Amino acid sequence: MRNKLYAPIILLLVLAFLIGPFIIIIAASLSAGETLSFPPQGLSLRWVIKVFEVESFRASFGISMFLAIGGTLAALILGIPASYALSRYKVPGAETIRTIVSSPIIVPGIIVGLALLRYFVVPFNFGILLALFLAHTALILPYAVRVVSASLNNLRSDIEEAAVLLGCSRTGAFFRVVMPNIRGGILAAFILGFVTSFNQVPVSLFLSGPGVRTLPIDMLSYMEITYDPSVAALSALLAFMSLGIVFLAERFLGFSRYV
Amino acid sequence: MSDSRFLCLEKLTLSYGKNVAVPEMDLDIGKGELVALLGPSGCGKTTTMRAIAGLMEPSSGSIILDGANITRVPANKRPVGLVFQSYALFPHLNVYENVAFGLKLMGIKGKQLDERVVDGLKTVGLSQYATRKPAELSGGQQQRVSLARSMVMEPKVLLLDEPLSNLDARLRLEMRTELQRVQKESGVTMIFVTHDQVEALAMADRIIVMLDGHIEQIGTPEQIYNNPASDFVADFVGFENVFERDGNKIKTLSGDVTVSGDIAPTTKGLAWRPTMVTLGEGPYEGTVRGTSFAGGTREYLLDTPLGQIKAECDASLPAHDFGAALKFDLPVHKAAQLARTGSL
Ligand SMILES: Nc1ncnc2c1ncn2[C@@H]1O[C@H](COP(=O)(O)OP(=O)(O)OP(=O)(O)O)[C@@H](O)[C@H]1O
Ligand SMILES: [Mg+2]
């Protein structure tokens, strides 16, 4: 009897813990007041509208989009062949390679960012955008390799030989029978990479410079000066964007199968 | 090129790195033949098939098909089809698209494409499943799609690697007849791998028995079944009592035993099926160590001075109890005379 009562309560607490901040942000962003506060002081959409009027938000949104899409595409272009080689050929030291390829996941982002800044951007005089792009690609690569590898491992390799015997070249077989069958995995990797990159703070923090910063960094610096609810409104909008993407992915692809 | 040398392997050597799986194999297969490649696990059946299909490069020797040397022809240019044990259907394509896959690559389109695919599906009785995905088919149906996919390419040789081993017993019987029918109707030269001698005997025009990378014997099912050439083949087709022969003696556990009867001078060994052992009378005696009822017959395992003997007799005869002493004979005129021994 007691157990029956505890279970829903715990579930509710967990949900509150997970969704609570989200609700607070939405509420705060709808505030009519001048400063970030909860509960909101009155209701209005002025801060939501304000988000679209802030010039730097627009610019950094563009940069973040570019990094998330470009970085993820680059990571996939590198990651798909890498995953393929790891799963199909007896590469010597495959395990070591796998570990190295997934290392950024275990190394804290701050360290990655600092290392990139100290050893690449400064000595080689990389442009900030290029550095950010490379850093994001490197960050997403492990996700790309993992997710794509998982769907490659579920795919029998003899269908490639079957395709070859029916007249395909080896490369033709890859594009005709491997790619279509790992499409779901690739899309899942794309979404995961996109969201990861978009929400990335620590690495970008080190690399962002004057004029070139990602949206989360821009929000941080905006808050240092202004404490109005537009940051909350922007956060809510971004959260909705992420949710929307994941929802669509789940709806059409069964996204959760791949992650 | 004569019809009996349609597909020839000449001193074909196949290796994995330093390990030679198949050394210097010679083999001729006739046009339109249905051949079974029979042998125990690991003897090189799959390796040989993959080499013929071009999925594996031979380390030496050559493959001649229809008069042309195809040893160096890449797999995607060979007129050879292979049906995989796992079927290897393309999961993202439906049945129709799977069958059309190779034809499209050949540049066949439109009405002609449709006709050949529909024809192929009809041959294997799957017309009504054209729009299903492979995952929505039973094992036997997947097998048929795989067969149709290779058949529509009109290969000169069709190879099947253990085509029936993933099917349950009833389907296996059904597919046996199906495969035979498709082969006879199309006249395609077909080689199928199996390690089930019953399957090989039932289906094939000719059987190639392989052991450790070499060919032990080639022959018709009757030849293999009645006149095995070696102790290994004899054992494989059910001659469970095998002895080496020396003059008019056979070598047994308790030394040489003289047997009487006509033995060809070249015979190296003698072998008896359990049913060929005479029970209840004869010069030898053994103790019943095991007995099992097999429907129409009863099987006995005897401990004898010659070694263990397996015998089988009509179940209507009175049964012999465990531990009973039993006279028996190994009549030489019934025995298979083996040309080679030492492979067991
Ligand atoms: N990829 C491989 N790498 C190294 N050795 C291999 C490989 N494939 C097969 N072999 C070896 O070659 C020999 C022949 O193998 P093969 O697969 O041709 O046997 P098979 O007759 O098809 O056996 P089964 O009935 O079990 O399928 C075996 O000794 C096997 O260990
Ligand atoms: Mg095999």
Side-chain angles (χ1 to χ4, degrees):
Chain A
M1 192 57 215
R2 295 177 87 194
N3 278 342
K4 269 188 189 158
L5 223 108
Y6 278 144
I9 290 175
I10 289 174
L11 191 67
L12 272 177
L13 283 175
V14 170
L15 276 177
F17 189 71
L18 287 175
I19 301 178
F22 186 47
I23 293 182
I24 292 176
I25 286 173
I26 294 174
S29 67
L30 294 175
S31 168
E34 288 298 323
T35 55
L36 198 52
S37 63
F38 183 81
Q41 303 151 328
L43 274 181
S44 93
L45 277 178
R46 61 186 277 219
W47 299 113
V48 179
I49 292 160
K50 167 89 185 292
V51 167
F52 293 94
E53 287 163 355
V54 178
E55 182 66 34
S56 79
F57 282 166
R58 286 212 298 251
S60 57
F61 179 79
I63 300 234
S64 273
M65 273 306 225
F66 164 75
L67 288 176
I69 293 173
T72 306
L73 284 180
L76 282 172
I77 288 169
L78 295 173
I80 294 172
S83 315
Y84 183 76
L86 283 173
S87 85
R88 290 296 185 265
Y89 302 109
K90 288 189 199 97
V91 189
E95 266 322 299
T96 321
I97 296 173
R98 216 185 291 276
T99 314
I100 291 171
V101 168
S102 42
S103 68
I105 289 182
I106 49 173
V107 178
I110 296 236
I111 295 176
V112 175
L114 186 60
L116 283 167
L117 181 68
R118 173 72 184 75
Y119 295 104
F120 285 91
V121 178
V122 176
F124 297 109
N125 203 10
F126 273 16
I128 290 165
L129 196 59
L130 179 60
L132 274 171
F133 173 76
L134 292 178
H136 278 237
T137 303
L139 272 176
I140 300 161
L141 190 61
Y143 296 100
V145 170
R146 284 193 177 199
V147 177
V148 174
S149 288
S151 52
L152 270 173
N153 290 340
N154 285 334
L155 190 67
R156 303 190 57 101
S157 57
D158 50 14
I159 63 168
E160 289 164 60
E161 295 189 328
V164 167
L165 289 175
L166 292 169
C168 274
S169 64
R170 279 274 162 192
T171 344
F174 178 79
F175 286 107
R176 278 168 199 275
V177 305
V178 177
M179 284 296 269
N181 282 303
I182 59 169
R183 214 170 39 193
I186 293 174
L187 235 111
F190 186 89
I191 289 162
L192 204 59
F194 180 91
V195 174
T196 306
S197 160
F198 210 92
N199 294 326
Q200 168 61 35
V201 171
V203 176
S204 309
L205 192 58
F206 277 93
L207 298 175
S208 292
V212 184
R213 35 168 87 145
T214 64
L215 190 53
I217 307 298
D218 202 27
M219 287 161 72
L220 279 177
S221 51
Y222 182 87
M223 278 192 345
E224 280 166 12
I225 306 161
T226 337
Y227 201 63
D228 69 25
S230 60
V231 171
L234 180 50
S235 304
L237 288 173
L238 291 178
F240 276 118
M241 184 180 83
S242 294
L243 269 180
I245 292 173
V246 172
F247 174 79
L248 286 178
E250 179 61 44
R251 182 73 194 279
F252 293 110
L253 289 169
F255 181 59
S256 47
R257 265 187 304 155
Y258 299 100
V259 194
Chain B
M1 198 263 324
S2 77
D3 270 1
S4 66
R5 285 173 51 79
F6 188 65
L7 173 67
C8 309
L9 309 185
E10 292 172 354
K11 297 219 174 316
L12 194 67
T13 301
L14 308 171
S15 341
Y16 293 100
K18 283 201 171 64
N19 293 337
V20 179
V22 175
E24 305 217 332
M25 179 185 278
D26 284 304
L27 177 64
D28 291 340
I29 285 168
K31 190 168 184 170
E33 259 193 306
L34 175 54
V35 176
L37 198 53
L38 175 68
S41 188
C43 71
K45 305 181 296 286
T46 299
T47 306
T48 309
M49 296 295 230
R50 290 175 61 83
I52 298 173
L55 292 174
M56 175 174 187
E57 187 142 338
S59 31
S60 67
S62 41
I63 305 170
I64 315 290
L65 176 58
D66 200 6
N69 188 332
I70 58 164
T71 319
R72 304 282 160 218
V73 176
N76 56 348
K77 302 264 170 7
R78 286 192 193 189
V80 175
L82 175 61
V83 174
F84 289 77
Q85 181 175 0
S86 57
Y87 318 136
L89 297 177
F90 307 129
H92 64 298
L93 300 179
N94 67 26
V95 169
Y96 184 98
E97 292 160 340
N98 261 279
V99 176
F101 188 90
L103 293 173
K104 280 187 190 161
L105 286 171
M106 275 162 64
I108 295 169
K109 344 185 203 324
K111 223 180 121 209
Q112 211 189 348
L113 173 72
D114 191 58
E115 267 169 19
R116 281 175 75 170
V117 174
V118 167
D119 226 42
L121 287 177
K122 201 155 75 189
T123 310
V124 296
L126 282 181
S127 303
Q128 69 274 42
Y129 294 97
T131 55
R132 293 238 194 137
K133 286 280 174 69
E136 300 160 351
L137 298 176
S138 73
Q141 290 165 339
Q142 292 183 36
Q143 172 73 273
R144 286 162 207 258
V145 178
S146 183
L147 181 62
R149 188 177 65 177
S150 292
M151 286 292 297
V152 293
M153 301 293 288
E154 295 173 357
K156 290 185 173 171
V157 177
L158 183 60
L159 311 169
L160 302 103
D161 196 355
E162 307 204 24
L164 308 180
S165 65
N166 282 346
L167 306 176
D168 66 38
R170 246 197 60 197
L171 254 177
R172 204 175 304 175
L173 283 180
E174 197 181 306
M175 275 308 287
R176 261 194 212 168
T177 356
E178 181 86 0
L179 273 178
Q180 276 183 303
R181 178 182 64 78
V182 169
Q183 193 268 335
K184 289 290 171 262
E185 279 175 9
S186 64
V188 68
T189 306
M190 201 186 261
I191 309 177
F192 72 98
V193 165
T194 174
H195 43 225
D196 178 355
Q197 74 278 15
V198 180
E199 208 165 276
L201 292 166
M203 289 172 64
D205 300 328
R206 218 148 55 103
I207 298 174
I208 300 161
V209 185
M210 273 185 81
L211 174 66
D212 287 341
H214 68 265
I215 295 175
E216 270 289 292
Q217 187 176 2
I218 303 182
T220 62
E222 287 80 6
Q223 283 165 344
I224 301 282
Y225 189 77
N226 295 321
N227 302 310
S230 72
D231 47 358
F232 169 77
V233 181
D235 187 62
F236 212 66
V237 295
F239 290 83
E240 288 178 81
N241 309 296
V242 181
F243 296 95
E244 272 190 57
R245 168 258 187 167
D246 188 7
N248 60 347
K249 297 189 176 73
I250 55 173
K251 293 181 178 169
T252 73
L253 273 187
S254 55
D256 292 354
V257 172
T258 308
V259 292
S260 57
D262 285 339
I263 305 176
T266 53
T267 298
K268 294 277 185 350
L270 294 174
W272 289 267
R273 290 182 184 281
T275 49
M276 294 171 169
V277 178
T278 314
L279 272 187
E281 58 184 22
Y284 315 113
E285 196 175 274
T287 321
V288 178
R289 277 286 159 246
T291 152
S292 68
F293 175 65
T297 61
R298 206 183 300 276
E299 294 166 1
Y300 293 99
L301 186 63
L302 305 176
D303 257 354
T304 81
L306 311 181
Q308 283 205 327
I309 294 288
K310 274 196 188 154
E312 193 176 328
C313 62
D314 208 287
S316 60
L317 296 172
H320 304 285
D321 290 331
F322 184 86
L326 200 55
K327 283 197 186 315
F328 70 95
D329 191 13
L330 299 172
V332 168
H333 69 275
K334 284 190 181 170
Q337 307 207 359
L338 312 176
R340 279 176 288 127
T341 56
S343 51
L344 257 189

